[in-house]
Amino acid sequence: MTAVHPNHKKAKALKSGSRRPAKELCSECGLCDTYYIHYVKEACAFLNQQFDQLETQTHDRSRNLDNPDELYFGVHQSMTAARKKEPIPGAQWTGIVSTIAIEMLNRGIVEGVVCVQNTKEDRFQPMPIIARTPEEILAARVNKPTLSPNLSVLEQIEQSGMKRLLVIGVGCQIQALRAVEKQLGLEKLYVLGTPCVDNVTRAGLQKFLETTSKSPDTVVHYEFMQDFRVHFKHEDGSVETVPFFGLKTNQLKDVFAPSCMSCFDYVNSLADLVVGYMGATFGWQWIVVRNDRGREMLDLVQDKLELQPVISQGDRHQAVQQSIPAYDKAVTLPMWAAKLMGVVIERIGPKGLEYARFSIDSHFTRNYLYVKRNYLEKLEAHVPEFAKRIVGQYKLPD
Ligand code: FAD
Ligand code: SF4
């Protein structure tokens, strides 16, 4: 039987490759590949910033800007560090995301899981699916470090008659999802989010790998780690590390997608549960429970996890202030200096939640300048109040 929502309106989906309403700011979230494009003007994260409204719809309140943790990490009930007792081989970290999704499916809490596998031909080319078996969820493990049209499968939900669904996704996808949530005809929607920053198109990824790794063709996985290095994992299991401060910033300046250069939802504010790494120390994942649905999801896997409290050490402010003009002028240090700086900052630099704040501050200041310089007319409405307060702590160039 097909479920049809009584108020649901449709419009013709755009052909792949055609220009999207958000133009160059489009993050290819997938909404415009479906008839839900009807709602694009309200739903698109880059056309209509509406965190307050969507936070209230999702968590029953918007974030408390006077609470320093909520200012940075959004509405939440708790934060913790965790890792799987038995990690999933080939997962991005220890596979907490895949484990929760499998558990929800196995227990019949949901009938399907929106996640993203890769195509047969290309390990980094995203292929969103609605998984209905644990094997299909496992095949979606590990990041596809590229813009991914996860919402392109939304029409299939309605066609399948599914009523209980889990969606895994990054901030821009989840913002659009929340905006059309009521039109999906679901009885229950769970959202498991990951943080996301500095994403790229498939072509941009190739440039990044070729500019940064010694062996771009054998990279299977990479991450910007808490030790201030990019870790590339290669097919043969070897790990190559490159210090952040040694990245060829002058060649990489245009590599990040314009959507990601103007995004302020690093921490996926509208997910029920967020699983990342940046608020935890090396080797651990960082878990943010935003509401009761998130708590229910985390409880399902408690016995499979080692847990420890989050910590916060150091003071990020000076490092962030210094990084602003350095990024702006595309300064690249010689490799020996970059390595030395990496070692020093790892020893005395910010850790745990303070590392997460360092990363948020560095990206928000950079993105604020990008929007100001390229989309001045959007600046006021597009930058949310929490980001304005965070950026306001620093002195920015014009
Ligand atoms: P796995 O069990 O390996 O599962 C990964 C899940 O991610 C899969 O279910 C898959 O469907 C989904 N996925 C993969 N690629 C995409 C994509 N492009 N879009 C949407 N969903 C996708 N965490 C931080 O703390 N700081 C960061 O800066 C950060 N940047 C990220 C950038 C990107 C592009 C992505 C996709 C994730 C990022 N994360 C970041 C999250 C982090 O890298 C891990 O994904 C997270 O900790 C989960 O690890 P895991 O082992 O539990 O996941
Ligand atoms: Fe459409 Fe998503 Fe692109 Fe916005 S970001 S224009 S909603 S595909």
Side-chain angles (χ1 to χ4, degrees):
M1 222 187 83
T2 308
V4 180
H5 193 276
N7 302 319
H8 174 29
K9 299 199 180 77
K10 297 178 180 178
K12 204 161 179 288
L14 292 177
K15 288 206 187 81
S16 86
S18 62
R19 200 161 163 81
R20 300 306 196 228
K23 304 190 179 111
E24 62 278 2
L25 284 181
C26 172
S27 71
E28 297 170 27
C29 78
L31 188 85
C32 295
D33 302 339
T34 73
Y35 46 59
Y36 294 99
I37 189 183
H38 175 82
Y39 300 96
V40 67
K41 273 199 201 137
E42 304 92 71
C44 177
F46 304 96
L47 296 175
N48 183 29
Q49 185 274 110
Q50 48 171 341
F51 284 106
D52 279 1
Q53 199 179 319
L54 291 178
E55 278 181 341
T56 307
Q57 173 192 311
T58 307
H59 313 304
D60 293 327
R61 65 182 182 85
S62 60
R63 72 181 78 188
N64 176 359
L65 298 180
D66 297 323
N67 172 328
D69 277 349
E70 288 218 349
L71 178 72
Y72 271 83
F73 308 123
V75 174
H76 62 275
Q77 297 180 352
S78 66
M79 289 193 273
T80 182
R83 61 184 179 199
K84 284 279 311 287
K85 289 176 189 160
E86 290 172 31
I88 296 182
Q92 183 71 14
W93 281 75
T94 69
I96 295 178
V97 167
S98 300
T99 305
I100 292 173
I102 290 171
E103 208 59 37
M104 291 182 78
L105 198 65
N106 282 345
R107 296 196 197 195
I109 297 168
V110 293
E111 298 153 285
V113 177
V114 173
C115 53
V116 50
Q117 300 180 344
N118 56 289
T119 60
K120 277 204 191 71
E121 304 76 42
D122 180 354
R123 68 175 78 117
F124 290 130
Q125 185 69 46
M127 187 176 76
I129 60 151
I130 304 180
R132 291 155 193 265
T133 65
E135 292 73 31
E136 286 173 333
I137 294 172
L138 266 184
R141 73 193 184 285
V142 79
N143 290 0
K144 275 36 100 187
T146 46
L147 300 177
S148 171
N150 282 25
L151 300 188
S152 61
V153 297
L154 282 191
E155 285 183 19
Q156 294 171 33
I157 297 165
E158 199 172 41
Q159 285 151 9
S160 71
M162 236 175 234
K163 289 292 179 195
R164 285 167 285 117
L165 185 76
L166 169 67
V167 175
I168 299 172
V170 297
C172 55
Q173 299 158 358
I174 303 308
Q175 284 177 62
L177 175 76
R178 288 299 189 195
V180 299
E181 174 176 352
K182 292 203 178 70
Q183 322 301 335
L184 299 176
L186 292 169
E187 279 161 16
K188 190 105 192 201
L189 172 68
Y190 292 88
V191 177
L192 176 45
T194 68
C196 182
V197 81
D198 290 351
N199 215 340
V200 287
T201 60
R202 184 63 188 84
L205 174 65
Q206 204 55 35
K207 184 169 178 197
F208 172 71
L209 294 175
E210 281 166 15
T211 324
T212 315
S213 169
K214 288 198 178 108
S215 171
D217 294 337
T218 59
V219 173
V220 285
H221 163 297
Y222 75 83
E223 193 78 87
F224 285 73
M225 292 281 199
Q226 299 102 322
D227 62 356
F228 299 87
R229 294 184 183 93
V230 190
H231 288 219
F232 293 101
K233 196 157 153 209
H234 291 279
E235 274 165 353
D236 62 1
S238 63
V239 177
E240 171 191 3
T241 65
V242 180
F244 291 178
F245 309 102
L247 291 178
K248 298 185 182 115
T249 329
N250 49 350
Q251 292 176 48
L252 290 174
K253 257 207 135 176
D254 304 324
V255 86
F256 302 125
S259 54
C260 308
M261 294 291 289
S262 49
C263 168
F264 296 92
D265 195 23
Y266 195 170
V267 297
N268 211 325
S269 320
L270 302 169
D272 299 317
L273 179 70
V274 178
V275 179
Y277 64 90
M278 65 184 186
T281 47
F282 197 78
W284 291 76
Q285 290 186 260
W286 173 56
I287 318 252
V288 185
V289 174
R290 298 208 180 282
N291 58 33
D292 291 343
R293 287 180 302 278
R295 165 72 44 213
E296 183 189 340
M297 288 152 79
L298 184 60
D299 283 349
L300 295 172
V301 300
Q302 289 278 359
D303 61 333
K304 296 184 168 61
L305 302 181
E306 258 181 274
L307 298 169
Q308 71 175 25
V310 281
I311 62 146
S312 186
Q313 261 176 33
D315 182 351
R316 71 200 179 276
H317 287 96
Q318 224 187 337
V320 175
Q321 187 64 65
Q322 282 166 4
S323 74
I324 298 171
Y327 182 84
D328 212 37
K329 294 189 195 114
V331 175
T332 302
L333 294 177
M335 197 44 87
W336 65 266
K339 282 192 177 145
L340 186 67
M341 187 145 159
V343 170
V344 172
I345 204 159
E346 193 193 346
R347 228 172 261 156
I348 59 161
K351 293 211 166 51
L353 292 179
E354 189 66 2
Y355 175 85
R357 293 186 200 97
F358 164 80
S359 195
I360 291 171
D361 288 357
S362 314
H363 286 96
F364 279 17
T365 46
R366 181 198 71 183
N367 287 9
Y368 184 87
L369 278 175
Y370 180 83
V371 178
K372 189 175 162 199
R373 288 170 182 170
N374 296 286
Y375 302 96
L376 186 58
E377 73 290 354
K378 280 175 81 72
L379 188 71
E380 188 49 35
H382 180 68
V383 183
E385 183 56 30
F386 60 82
K388 286 184 184 141
R389 289 206 192 180
I390 289 172
V391 171
Q393 300 169 91
Y394 298 98
K395 200 168 157 339
L396 301 188
D398 289 332

